[in-house]
Amino acid sequence: MTSTRTVVRRAALAATAVTAALVLSACAGGDHSDTASGTHPSSSTSADATAGATAGAHNAQDVSFAQGMIPHHRQAVEMAGLAADRASSARVKDLAARIEKAQDPEIRTMSGWLKAWGEDVPSDAPGTDGMDHSGGHGGDSGMAGMMDQKDMDRLAKSSGKAFDSLFLTMMVEHHEGAVEMAGAEKAKGRYAPATALADDVVTAQTAEIEEMNKLLGKSAG
């Protein structure tokens, strides 16, 4: 994933601005609040409405998307981090570096959303996503494309061309899962920054899937 998510990162700044507006509005009142009733109540009402709109602009799908995609991204970053000293192909190393560079900031962005919404942020403890997904990684996790610990151990123990092939094969599956999750967010999500991020995920990771399949085709040929 290579595209920049500046529109997504503005959400936190907007929330801060709304909070500041509310505090200033509360502090501005005095003994002559009735005299200023033509200005302060309207600005306060406007700020309250903005805050309410921001808080109410997400739905359960947005929460599910962030809580699922955070551990999904973390595993991709973990996989990509192995490539630096295990991959033999410069193109695989470059791809892995791009994946890591793109997904790390997105993890922070989605964690910020969950905190602002008062929702649980998945734990970053190894071997768990910190949420109840009816199991660990893999098919029982409820998140498409996640590798189980056996797969991760096998990748960590490989090197050279064997690593390249295994990494690409696993990451294609991983990306396909992310695209599936992002598609659900685009279809059912309400929070504009989250649906925008999901759209970026579909675009960037679909392109990377094509790139990885070409690399696999070359190695296979």
Side-chain angles (χ1 to χ4, degrees):
M1 295 173 53
T2 58
S3 54
T4 307
R5 318 287 193 258
T6 54
V7 64
V8 178
R9 296 182 185 123
R10 291 173 186 161
L13 294 176
T16 302
V18 169
T19 302
L22 288 170
V23 171
L24 290 173
S25 177
C27 293
D31 293 338
H32 302 287
S33 57
D34 290 342
T35 305
S37 60
T39 55
H40 286 297
S42 61
S43 62
S44 176
T45 301
S46 176
D48 287 344
T50 302
T54 301
H58 70 282
N59 60 14
Q61 168 59 39
D62 298 317
V63 175
S64 177
F65 172 69
Q67 289 179 335
M69 195 61 82
I70 287 171
H72 205 277
H73 271 22
R74 283 178 181 151
Q75 188 176 70
V77 169
E78 181 183 352
M79 292 165 65
L82 296 172
D85 59 0
R86 290 173 174 79
S88 64
S89 167
R91 294 182 68 179
V92 170
K93 289 182 179 181
D94 175 68
L95 172 67
R98 283 185 276 127
I99 290 172
E100 192 169 3
K101 183 178 180 181
Q103 297 196 18
D104 250 339
E106 291 177 349
I107 292 169
R108 293 193 293 271
T109 295
M110 291 184 286
S111 296
W113 295 343
L114 292 172
K115 290 175 183 176
W117 298 338
E119 301 287 350
D120 292 332
V121 178
S123 168
D124 60 358
T128 178
D129 60 17
M131 304 302 298
D132 181 10
H133 289 289
S134 302
H137 295 316
D140 294 333
S141 70
M143 290 178 288
M146 289 288 280
M147 301 297 114
D148 61 26
Q149 192 57 49
K150 186 179 295 184
D151 288 329
M152 295 298 291
D153 291 342
R154 187 156 58 102
L155 183 65
K157 292 175 182 177
S158 63
S159 62
K161 291 184 178 180
F163 176 90
D164 295 344
S165 179
L166 186 59
F167 172 82
L168 292 169
T169 301
M170 289 173 59
M171 194 62 82
V172 165
E173 181 180 349
H174 205 271
H175 273 26
E176 287 173 344
V179 169
E180 179 182 332
M181 293 164 66
E185 171 62 18
K186 287 178 63 178
K188 302 176 182 178
R190 182 183 178 193
Y191 188 56
T195 57
L197 189 150
D199 188 57
D200 288 340
V201 166
V202 171
T203 300
Q205 296 204 18
T206 297
E208 288 174 352
I209 288 169
E210 293 177 1
E211 179 181 354
M212 290 186 285
N213 279 329
K214 287 180 181 178
L215 289 173
L216 283 168
K218 289 179 180 179
S219 62

